[in-house]
Structures are given as C-alpha cells and as structure tokens.
Amino acid sequence: MSLARAQMAGHSLVRRNSRSRIGRFTAGLAVQDLPFIIGFAVVARLGHGSEPCGSHAVTRSAPLPNRPDDWTRFCCPGPVCDRVMMMATGVGRPPPLFPGAWLMAVTVAKIELKKVNDASGLVDCIQTGQMRADDIVAVIGKTEGNGGVNDFTRILADEAFRAVLKAHGTRSDGAVARVPMVWSGGCDGVITPHATVFARDDRTGPADQARLAIGVAMSPEIRPEDIGRPAMVETVAEGVRLAMADAGITDPADVHYVQTKTPLLTIDGVTEAAARGQTVACDVHDSMGVSNGTTGLGIAVALGEITMPRAEDICRNLELYSSVASCSSGVELDRAQIVLMGNRAGAGGGFRIGHAVMRDALDIDGIYAAIGNAGLDLPERPRAEDLGGRLVNCFMKCEADRTGRLRGRRQIMLDDSDVHHHRHSKAAVGGVAAAAIGDPAVFVSVDAMHQGPQGGGPVIAIVRVDA
C-alpha cells in the first residue's frame, strides 16, 4: 500500500491506555490483514489531527462529548482504519479497503409471525435454500405487544430468531448476538406481526446496474445521560458512517433507509446515572420518543441532511429531520443497532430500494412515490394491483400532527385519555398503507420526531426488479 493511498484511505481510531483493546486487536489479526495494518501504521505516524485529508469531505470529531477516556480520532474518515478499528473493538463487520470493494448481493424475505415467538418462517427460508443462516445480517420486524417500555414481545421474538441462527448456522453465540434485529412493538389496527429478513452473500452484478446493498453497525455504548443530548447525536452519526462503509456506499444520496434501534431510559438506568453524578434529559416514559428523535438527528447529520444541531434543537425544532430515518428504541440494548440500505452499482441480487415522505397520515401518494423511486413503473393513479407482486415491503414512520388537525379537520388523537395517540396514528397509517400495497404485513412505527416532516414521516420501499 502506497503512502498516498494510506493517506486517502482514511480514518483511524485508538483507545488511550487500553491494553485489553490492544490484546483483542492483535488476537484478531491474520495474514490477509497485513496491508490494513501497514496502512494503519502509516496514517498513525502521519497524525493528521481531526483535519480531513485526501478527497474526503466528511470529518470525524475529536473525543465524543462526555467521553474523556474514550476514543481519540486522529485522521480523516476512510475504510482502511475503520477496518482496523472494527477488528480492535469487535463491533460490526470491517468495511472494505476501498469504496465498492465488497462483493455483495442481498436477498430479502418477508415472513409472518404466527405467534409472538414464532420463527418457523425463518427456518423455512433457510431449509428451502432461499438464504443461508450465516448470511443473514439483519432482521426488521413488527411484534404484537403494546409498543411501550414494558413491551417484552420484542425480546421473545428476538430470542426466537437468534436461536434459529445458532441452530442452523456456524457462527458463535457472540457473532449471532451482534446481528442487528430491530423489533418494533405494536400491531394496532390491521397490521400483521411479521419480519423482513436480509441476507448478504458475495455475488456481484453488472457494473452499470445499481442494486440493493446493506451495511450494519453497532455504535459504542449510549449512556442514560446521553439520550436526548448532542453526545447521542454524534455517537449515532459515527455508527451510520460505519454502516455506510460496510455497505460500500460512498454517496449519501444513494442511501434510502436507515433503520435503528437505540436504548431508552429505565428506572435502573436513571439511578445508575445519578450515582455517577449525571442527570438525564427526560423522564422514563418520554424517553422512547426522545431517543428516536435524537437518533433521527444523528442519521441526518451523518448523511449531510442537516448540520450538527444545537442542544436546544433536539426534540424541539421539528423543521430538522431525516427523510430516510426510521428509529425505534427499547429496553433490550444499550447502544445503537444500525441497518443502512441503499443502491450500489455492481451489487448483485434482484432488489432495489427507494424512499419518499408522507406529508400526513392520508398521503397514499407518498407510499406510491417511494415504490416508484425504488424502480417500479406505476400508472398515474396506481392501485395495489399495479404492483404485480414485486413489492417486498414498505417501512414507514408516523406521528399524530401536533396541530390537532388533518387536512383542515379537527382530530382527537392527542386528547384521548383512553387510547394513546401513538396507537391511533399507527392504526390509521397502517390501514392506509395496507390498502395501498394490498398487504397488512407492513412496517409502521410511531414516535417520528425528526423523522420526516411533522405530522408525516418517511416511507421506504423495497422491490424486486429482476424476474
């Protein structure tokens, strides 16, 4: 590897005073990693501070706020040292040496959950050869619980799906535990509990055709006191950049979907933060929306949709949002699980992805716009029958309009003391979406602050484009 190439390749990450990290790093090395180690040594010796080098326009920050003993960054972003960092931390799959280097084809399957801990559909996909257990890199699903802090249906579904990966694959327990599985609770109205499963292998496609590519990452720990604050925005943004590198996508405009699952507050977490002399930004029951909204801003920052927000903008200035973010949160994790999807030339497989936004809860045209953006030719006034069975699934976020109006008419969602407005809006948008695509197994999630325009939300569609 030349010096110039090592300079351009990017970003490295070391942890001060951490012999355990060094031990983990050296233990994971192999002969084929030698070029990456040489590159790491070169850029480390050059020591660029936080200034960018080469052609990269995105810079990485110095140590994250409230992390004086954590990571120190000393070069520009890029795949060489991201690979070294991920080998050292054990977080995520090391990204490619150069953009587009991954050989990748993505297979997608949507399966119904016949009961809360049912993973038989996943077993069928594996046993019929549709995908290999060891190739599965992400799962995004809806479970039938209440969608709240104490919704344990997400944990039951998660355990069932991970058990299948262990039983039918060869990965270690630790490797299976790192597979992002994003479960959104609550199937109000007509929504059917289901999961969309993504597998990735090394097939390629024509260089002049863009097909679905997927990248995954796990962020560093998000502490209770970070939720709703700039530290979480930066942590999520870092993870999104890693997931983008893992997908081999270099242009943020090619990213159409970032699905995350992040921690929320619990009483134990608040108590633990207080014992360290820290405060939290909100109460436990508000933390789901706050965690989702803060994550949405982190995604928007990473993809250049907005600049870094001020602390007072978080969950307040709703003019700031991402058009591709879909953020969920739960008690089952302590860091951000990130699944990023876009289209990349040369990727194999027969799927494409696209996105649009719903301007309000009735914006069925926004759903069809996302499907068209993914690559299906639709008539001027499309119906579900026009999709021809080529739509895999739609993923969308929604929230009650804070003005209490919908197309000029008064709404009572925000005033209902019996049924929370989340359940109203999820059921309503789920019905619109099911009618649009002719399938009630559709991913609809609430708490959409900073995810699409206020009162609406992003819509993402994955379609089959090859017969």
Side-chain angles (χ1 to χ4, degrees), residues 29 93 106 152 155 197 231 259 288 304 312 328 332:
L29 298 183
R93 172 179 174 176
V106 176
F152 300 107
I155 297 175
V197 183
Q259 176 67 59
M288 181 173 288
E312 56 267 31
S328 295
E332 63 268 31

Side-chain angles (χ1 to χ4, degrees), residues 31-49:
V31 172
Q32 60 266 34
D33 291 313
L34 183 59
F36 298 97
I37 309 311
I38 295 172
F40 176 82
V42 170
V43 292
R45 179 67 182 88
L46 291 173
H48 290 291

Side-chain angles (χ1 to χ4, degrees), residues 103-355:
L103 305 177
M104 181 190 302
V106 176
T107 300
V108 191
K110 182 166 69 174
I111 56 181
E112 183 177 338
L113 304 187
K114 297 179 176 63
K115 57 182 180 179
V116 65
N117 61 343
D118 172 47
S120 62
L122 179 59
V123 174
D124 290 343
C125 286
I126 295 169
Q127 291 183 337
T128 58
Q130 188 173 354
M131 57 183 64
R132 296 174 60 250
D134 288 345
D135 290 338
I136 292 171
V137 294
V139 177
I140 300 172
K142 290 294 299 182
T143 65
E144 59 206 69
N146 60 26
V149 174
N150 64 338
D151 181 354
F152 300 107
T153 64
R154 299 179 297 226
I155 297 175
L156 295 171
D158 192 271
E159 290 176 345
F161 272 64
R162 293 189 195 278
V164 170
L165 297 189
K166 293 176 187 178
H168 293 268
T170 62
R171 285 183 283 191
S172 68
D173 289 354
V176 169
R178 289 192 294 271
V179 175
M181 294 190 183
V182 179
W183 299 101
S184 171
C187 290
D188 303 271
V190 299
I191 299 172
T192 297
H194 70 281
T196 307
V197 183
F198 300 85
R200 182 171 70 178
D201 59 41
D202 60 2
R203 291 172 294 142
T204 58
D208 61 344
Q209 293 182 1
R211 293 292 182 264
L212 176 64
I214 184 170
V216 299
M218 296 279 280
S219 81
E221 179 186 0
I222 297 172
R223 296 175 180 172
E225 61 266 28
D226 295 341
I227 295 172
R229 290 174 174 153
M232 183 175 180
V233 175
E234 292 204 23
T235 299
V236 169
E238 291 292 327
V240 170
R241 294 183 186 112
L242 287 176
M244 189 171 164
D246 189 47
I249 295 174
T250 57
D251 186 350
D254 293 328
V255 176
H256 293 277
Y257 184 24
V258 183
Q259 176 67 59
T260 62
K261 193 66 180 279
T262 50
L264 45 70
L265 292 178
T266 63
I267 295 299
D268 288 343
V270 173
T271 302
E272 182 258 333
R276 290 184 284 104
Q278 301 293 327
T279 63
V280 295
C282 61
D283 67 31
V284 168
H285 287 286
D286 288 337
S287 66
M288 181 173 288
V290 171
S291 181
N292 292 351
T294 311
T295 302
L297 291 176
I299 294 167
V301 168
L303 299 180
E305 296 176 281
I306 63 170
T307 58
M308 183 67 190
R310 301 170 300 172
E312 56 267 31
D313 289 328
I314 297 174
C315 298
R316 294 180 180 87
N317 182 0
L318 300 184
E319 296 298 313
L320 303 177
Y321 62 81
S322 171
S323 295
V324 299
S326 176
C327 307
S328 295
S329 52
V331 298
E332 63 268 31
L333 71 174
D334 62 0
R335 61 200 66 224
Q337 290 183 339
I338 301 166
V339 182
L340 178 145
M341 300 182 211
N343 299 313
R344 181 167 65 78
F351 301 89
R352 279 182 57 87
I353 190 168
H355 80 277

Side-chain angles (χ1 to χ4, degrees), residues 404 410-419 421 424:
R410 185 171 72 92
Q411 299 287 288
I412 57 86
M413 292 187 223
L414 297 173
D415 296 324
D416 192 336
S417 298
D418 296 315
V419 180
H421 61 86
H424 279 289

Side-chain angles (χ1 to χ4, degrees), residues 354-374 376 378-384 386-387 391 394 396 407 428-429 431-437 453 456-461:
H355 80 277
V357 295
M358 292 180 74
R359 294 294 169 184
D360 61 30
L362 300 180
D363 188 9
I364 196 170
D365 290 336
I367 299 172
Y368 290 126
I371 296 170
N373 184 249
L376 288 193
L378 298 175
E380 184 177 355
R381 299 301 303 169
R383 298 169 58 89
D386 298 316
L387 305 182
L391 176 71
C394 280
M396 56 198 71
R407 301 198 178 185
V429 173
V432 171
I437 71 173
V459 187
I460 296 92

Side-chain angles (χ1 to χ4, degrees), residues 1-13 36 39-60 73-85 95-99:
M1 178 183 296
S2 68
L3 175 62
R5 184 170 290 182
Q7 285 179 289
M8 290 180 62
H11 150 87
S12 56
L13 199 54
F36 298 97
F40 176 82
V42 170
V43 292
R45 179 67 182 88
L46 291 173
H48 290 291
S50 61
E51 295 298 318
C53 62
S55 60
H56 294 285
V58 181
T59 60
R60 307 288 180 111
R73 305 187 175 278
F74 57 91
C75 194
C76 71
V80 169
C81 296
D82 276 344
R83 178 180 176 89
V84 174
M85 179 276 290
L97 177 57
F98 299 111

